[in-house]
Amino acid sequence: MQAWKLTRSGTLDPNPMAFITAAGVFSSSVVPGTILLTTRDDSGLQHYLLTPESSNAGQSALHLAHAVAARADRVDELPVLDDAQHVVWMKTEKQPALISRDTQQGTDPAAVSRALAISMRPGQWVAVALRKPTQKERRWQLTWLESQMNTNNPQYHSRRSEALVATFYAGADDAHDAAQLLREASAAMPGFDMATEHGTSSRTKDATPFFAATAVLGAAGAAMVGVPDLDLPFMAPVCAFGAAAAAVALGAGTIAGRIKLTHEKLREGLAHHHLPVSRQLGVRPAKPVKEKRRDDGSIVPARGGGYAFDDRAFLVGQEIPVSLVAPHAGSASGEQSTAVRAAPAVMTSIIGPRIGASGGAWVALSARDLWQGVMFLGVPGSGKSVALRNIWTWFSMERAEPSGIDGFPGTRNSIIALETKGNGAQRYHELAAKVGDSVGLSDLSDANTPAIDMFPRVGTLTHQARSIVNAMKYVWGETSIGAHSFNMLTRVFTAALVAGPAITAQVPGLRQGASPFYYVNILLGGYGDEAAVALGSAIISEAVRVGASEEDDLGLAARELATLFGAGVTPSQRKSATEAPRNKAAALLAAESWWARPNKVSWDDVLNNHWGVVVNVGSSLTGLQVDGQLKDDMSAMLTYTLYDAIQRNCSTWEEEGRRVSIFADELSEIAGSSSEVIEWFKDKGRSYGVIPVFATQRSGQLDQRVRESVLGFGTVLSYTQDVPKVMSEIVADLAADGSTWTTADVANLPRYEAIVRTRINGIRQSPFTVKLTNFESIMESYTHIQKHVGPTDIA
């Protein structure tokens, strides 16, 4: 059996006909043996759909969920039914009859749940086993209804084309309690108006016919022996006694449970969540008889047609059994969840990376539209990091084994992951390797890995210096690096960039082969005015010694330092000029092992060679910790310098079919103090081949313009949120196409599930829900799932 749990996700439509229509969509997909089950545990009522294995079972669950304003989640574990000591079923009276009731006025689909919420205790349950009626049964039942209602072609709920044959059961530790549950459920079901009784099973009841046969056969044998004048065969009494003995044995075997009849079969079925469904009658029910007068004047009364089913079966309108699992009994119905909304059919084809399942089918994002950006929003533990790495893995798979499909990235795709947590760096590396791709690792705190040369010499010395200061400005903002600080930092970086061995050797105690950040800190007085003067004077003196002009780098550097170390400049004046920018330069000294690392790879190399690289600024794989502030500063600086390198190298990449895909698991840590880069990725990145794939668990901490930019990405996957303002912004975006969403839909999303708003061929699709797949746990099947399996082939 397959099973789905139903949880409340909205409000039931107050229009009875809307409920009936929705229930009819579900009933059209019912297969024999389908069971609707309501049980109770300590947390409240629990509602389930159980169905035999079938290809449309998932779709049937979605239809049922829609009918009862719920969501349906596939589950592996179900409540134990066979713990109930007694199982009772509802049956017709000996002469089945309708009772008087107003069947449609004030129909309330939630009435059954509310009734059971009052009377049902933990461990008890009520269920209905379903099948569709045959056309023959429909004709027979119509005959019976006409005689019951004394009219031709009566209007009645069981006449609907989607009516179902239902058998109702209840389980409890006391047979009386189980029967009472059925009474209360049937009384609350909208339109159910059959006069009913209740039946139950036991080994004794199953054995009773055998013991009755024993008595009859024994008496018959005794009569044969006691009446010698009877002209019977010699063996007749022996046969009678033998048959009586056999009946005794069968009865005893039934009592002992060795012979499995109704009771034992029912109990065995309960252990596997199976309940018997009524079978079609073997013979036609009695036809109706009209009243007539005999020749002697006596009257032969009219007799209605016979009931079309066995006494456990009821042909009822589809809304009657469906109402049993409407999870709307207030607090007794437990948690509320977001309604399942199926993805557009076009997304079930392999049009890009498959991300999970919706509506019982695999769902893929459109590869053609990934340039518009992918954004994951969710609280910690919602599953967004795993989903983001799934897209990374898909890009790696495309690099290793290009599909050749138009719009897919293939091998000409630089993939770059900016990892800020540390623990994800190895996962990126391993996932790429498992699909045959090779990616490099650059670790901020591990000197055994190459550093990213963020500031290669491109253009003039002044341009290189300004690039460094612009990156610092992106990290700390215009308030911290205003016009004065920007100018001063540019001057000293111009000088620090030319501080080679010939110059630094002139200053006693100065570190040789250090980074420009170290020498900048010296020039700004970070190690005292004496050290600053010594280095500044050495640069100026070297320029004079070699006769450098201002057209030369060394001459330019000497000129820039004249305002700090020229004749007549006092220590007080230097301190005043350098105090504001000094702390920002000093903050980056914590990464000196990175800046001065001899093994370096530039962003330009990564881009132009279409390399894959994971840059880890979190804790290293060897356990080395990174200061939190340095992590944030370096993350933002890496982002800015990558953006700068893309502008230098990739201006024609879109038309060349080349891509640079950027992954960041925590956007708030790479966004810096400005929205400039993220807005550029969104608005102008396409022609440069940029595909941004970002996630954040800190949506509320993002700059408003950054948040607006990522909410404008082509694909946004929203996991559960806990910041009301963010939820409202997400809902406003989801509802932009006229569909109805509420903050409760976002707040009540289950773990590992998201609401997706995306585009295909540039056209916005209706938002839908998707259960994201943890592909990292099934990597042996990853390529097969992404490239080959059918849309509904979901394990």
Side-chain angles (χ1 to χ4, degrees), residues 68-85:
V68 296
R71 59 173 291 119
D73 292 296
R74 182 79 179 267
V75 293
D76 295 323
E77 294 186 7
L78 282 166
V80 177
L81 300 185
D82 56 349
D83 276 357
Q85 296 182 23

Side-chain angles (χ1 to χ4, degrees), residues 22 74 94 164 232 258 263 291 297 341 358 383 392 453 497 545 562 617 628 632 637 660 703 709 726 763 789:
R74 182 79 179 267
K94 193 169 185 179
L164 295 166
L232 293 173
R258 290 192 293 271
H263 180 75
E291 180 182 295
R341 308 195 195 192
S358 178
W392 161 274
D453 184 1
L497 287 166
R545 188 185 70 80
V617 297
D632 292 348
M637 190 164 284
V660 51
D703 175 86
S709 290
V726 174
I763 300 173
V789 304

Side-chain angles (χ1 to χ4, degrees), residues 228-293:
D229 294 337
L230 290 175
D231 187 16
L232 293 173
F234 172 75
M235 291 299 294
V238 175
C239 291
F241 287 128
V248 169
L250 290 171
T254 301
I255 292 288
R258 290 192 293 271
I259 296 175
K260 297 177 180 180
L261 298 178
T262 300
H263 180 75
E264 286 300 316
K265 290 178 180 179
L266 175 63
R267 301 305 303 189
E268 284 188 356
L270 288 177
H272 298 92
H273 298 89
H274 289 282
L275 287 170
V277 181
S278 67
R279 297 179 180 178
Q280 183 177 340
L281 295 180
V283 295
R284 177 178 181 143
K287 292 183 179 180
V289 176
K290 294 182 179 180
E291 180 182 295
K292 64 179 181 179
R293 184 182 297 273

Side-chain angles (χ1 to χ4, degrees), residues 535-620:
L535 178 57
S537 298
I539 294 172
I540 294 172
S541 297
E542 183 68 12
V544 172
R545 188 185 70 80
V546 301
S549 70
E550 291 189 4
E551 300 299 319
D552 301 322
D553 288 351
L554 186 56
L556 175 62
R559 188 195 72 182
E560 294 295 337
L561 289 181
T563 58
L564 286 178
F565 304 105
V569 181
T570 67
S572 177
Q573 289 173 324
R574 272 193 296 275
K575 180 179 179 181
S576 177
T578 60
E579 193 168 17
R582 185 184 307 136
N583 64 328
K584 298 308 177 190
L588 295 174
L589 273 181
E592 178 63 13
S593 68
W594 168 276
W595 303 121
R597 200 171 294 175
N599 185 12
K600 293 183 180 180
V601 175
S602 71
W603 282 134
D604 303 66
D605 293 332
V606 172
L607 294 171
N608 289 310
N609 290 302
H610 293 304
W611 288 339
V613 62
V614 181
V615 185
N616 178 31
V617 297
S619 301
S620 73

